[in-house]
Amino acid sequence: MKATQRDFPGIAPRVAKQCSVFFFCGPDEAGASAAAEAVHAAMADAGERVELSGADLRRDPVLLGDEARSSSLFGDTRHIFVRASGDEVHDALANLFDGEGEACPVLVVATSATDKSRTAKLLEKREDALVAMFYPPDLRSMTGTVRDLADTAGVRLGGDLAERIARASGLDQRLAASEVAKLALYLDASPEAPKTAGPEEWDAIGAKTEEDGFMPIVNAALSGHARKLPAELARMCELGINPVGIALAVERRTAQLAQLAARLGRSNDVGGLIASEKQARRIFWKDERDLREQLQIWRGKRLDRLVARVTALHRHLLANSQSAELLLAQELTEVARVAATVGSR
C-alpha cells in the first residue's frame, strides 16, 4: 500500500500493526527517518533493533531474509532498520518475500529513491508493506510541526519561538524534536503539567542558529567558496559543532536544490524562480543569494551525483563517529572544489 506525506501521521498506528515491511523514501531524509521512528514507537513489541546498510544488502541480497527470520540472542523479538540509497534493497526485499517462515518487521529509509522506484513498485500492491514518500518542508510547515511537537511535550511556545526553532534546526524534524525535548526538560514540562517557553528560555538552552552555526559551512562548500571553507571547518572544531548536524544541513540544502531544480525544469531563469519562491514564502529571504548561486552550479546529473554523495556521507559519519570531523572535512572540500570549477566556467 502507499501513503502520502499528509496521510502518514494518521495511519501510522494502524500500519505499524498491519504491515511488516516499510519503505520510506523521497528527498526529505529527516521526515523519512522520523516516520520510521513513529512506526517503531507504534509497534506493540518492537524488541531488539538490528541495523543493516543498503550497501551490505546490495552485496548480499540473502542477508536480509536470514536476519529477519533469525531469533535474537535471548529469544526476544526484533526488528530490522535499513538506511539505503536508491534501489539498493530491491533484491534483498524480493528474496525476503520469497522465503518461508515468519519474518520480523523491516523498516527501510531510502532517501535517494522515490515512490516510482523499482523497490516501491515491488511493495506498493502488497497489503503487508507500506511505501511513503517525503518532501522537504518549507519554513511555514516546519513551524507548524514544531508547535505540534511542543504541544505533545507539554511546552507552550510564545511569540515567534516556533519559527526560530524551525530555522535553527535547519528545517530538520529530528533536530527540532531534540530542541523541543531540551526545552521540556529545562522547564520540567509534561503533557500533564504544561509550561510556557519564551525567548529567554530558548536563549538559555537553544542551539545556535543556522546563520551562526551550520549554514556558513554549508554555503562555503556548495557555492564553491574553497578559500573560505578551511576557516569554517576550523570554526566547527573550535566550537564543537556536531559534524552530523552539519551533514544534515548539507543534506537539507541539497534536497531543497533538487526541489527547486525540478520546478525550474529546462528554464535557465534561476533568478526569476528564486524571486517567486521568496514571494511565496517557500524560501527564507536570507537564503536567496546563496540559493541563486548554488542552483546555477548544481543541476542535472551533477545534482544527482551530489544527492547520492551527501546521502552516503551521512551513513559514513554515523558508522565512523570518531573520524566524523575528518570525513566531513574531506567530503566538503571535494564538493567545494567541484563547485568552484563549475562556477568559474
Side-chain angles (χ1 to χ4, degrees):
M1 69 179 71
K2 293 180 71 171
T4 66
Q5 187 168 355
R6 180 178 297 179
D7 295 339
F8 177 76
I11 67 170
R14 175 173 61 82
V15 296
K17 298 176 176 62
Q18 176 181 341
C19 298
S20 59
V21 174
F22 305 85
F23 187 72
F24 302 107
C25 57
D28 183 19
E29 192 272 343
S33 295
E37 292 304 328
V39 166
H40 171 258
M43 288 178 176
D45 185 12
E48 174 192 6
R49 169 169 290 193
V50 177
E51 296 197 4
L52 300 173
S53 73
D56 291 338
L57 297 181
R58 186 183 64 233
R59 287 191 296 267
D60 184 2
V62 178
L63 176 62
L64 180 62
D66 290 344
E67 287 289 347
R69 292 186 171 88
S70 299
S71 60
S72 70
L73 181 62
F74 300 103
D76 299 324
T77 57
R78 52 165 36 188
H79 68 281
I80 294 176
F81 183 89
V82 181
R83 193 173 293 280
S85 177
D87 278 317
E88 287 180 329
V89 299
H90 176 274
D91 293 347
L93 287 173
N95 286 334
L96 173 68
F97 293 133
D98 288 341
E100 296 181 358
E102 185 176 355
C104 71
V106 176
L107 296 87
V108 180
V109 174
T111 52
S112 294
T114 71
D115 58 358
K116 302 295 190 296
S117 64
R118 290 175 63 228
T119 309
K121 292 184 181 299
L122 173 70
L123 303 175
E124 63 184 10
K125 294 182 180 180
R126 298 183 62 98
E127 291 299 317
D128 59 351
L130 174 75
V131 175
M133 184 165 171
F134 294 82
Y135 296 93
D138 55 23
L139 181 59
R140 182 181 300 174
S141 63
M142 181 50 70
T143 298
T145 298
V146 170
R147 290 195 179 280
D148 292 340
L149 291 169
D151 289 342
T152 301
V155 178
R156 302 190 189 99
L157 300 179
D160 63 350
L161 186 53
E163 182 174 318
R164 286 184 61 190
I165 294 174
R167 279 194 274 114
S169 63
L171 303 185
D172 188 296
Q173 185 171 332
R174 291 163 301 183
L175 296 181
S178 175
E179 295 307 311
V180 169
K182 286 196 300 185
L183 267 177
L185 183 62
Y186 180 74
L187 295 169
D188 193 23
S190 68
E192 295 75 26
K195 303 286 177 60
T196 299
E200 296 81 8
E201 289 77 17
W202 168 248
D203 291 338
I205 59 95
K208 287 182 175 291
T209 64
E210 280 194 293
E211 291 80 9
D212 293 334
F214 300 154
M215 292 314 294
I217 304 173
V218 174
N219 288 326
L222 293 180
S223 297
H225 299 163
R227 293 183 179 180
K228 292 182 180 179
L229 187 60
E232 291 297 340
L233 292 172
R235 183 175 62 84
M236 172 188 73
C237 297
E238 291 170 3
L239 297 179
I241 300 175
N242 186 350
V244 175
I246 296 173
L248 288 171
V250 175
E251 198 167 352
R252 176 71 60 184
R253 173 54 62 85
T254 303
Q256 186 178 21
L257 290 172
Q259 197 172 37
L260 290 171
R263 290 176 182 162
L264 186 63
R266 297 184 179 180
S267 171
N268 289 317
D269 188 11
V270 173
L273 173 68
I274 295 298
S276 65
E277 292 292 300
K278 184 181 73 169
Q279 186 174 4
R281 296 191 64 189
R282 285 192 288 265
I283 64 173
F284 191 46
W285 65 269
K286 289 185 179 180
D287 296 331
E288 180 181 3
R289 184 182 66 181
D290 295 314
L291 285 170
R292 183 184 295 111
E293 186 174 19
Q294 291 159 17
L295 195 56
Q296 295 280 10
I297 297 170
W298 302 104
R299 303 274 296 276
K301 292 183 178 179
R302 191 180 301 115
L303 178 57
D304 292 339
R305 289 194 293 270
L306 176 66
V307 170
R309 290 191 68 155
V310 168
T311 302
L313 172 64
H314 185 188
R315 294 202 305 269
H316 293 159
L317 295 186
L318 292 175
N320 302 277
S321 58
Q322 293 185 344
S323 306
E325 288 185 356
L326 178 60
L327 290 172
L328 179 72
Q330 290 174 336
E331 187 66 18
L332 293 188
T333 299
E334 178 63 17
V335 168
R337 185 191 66 79
V338 172
T341 301
V342 176
S344 64
R345 291 176 184 173

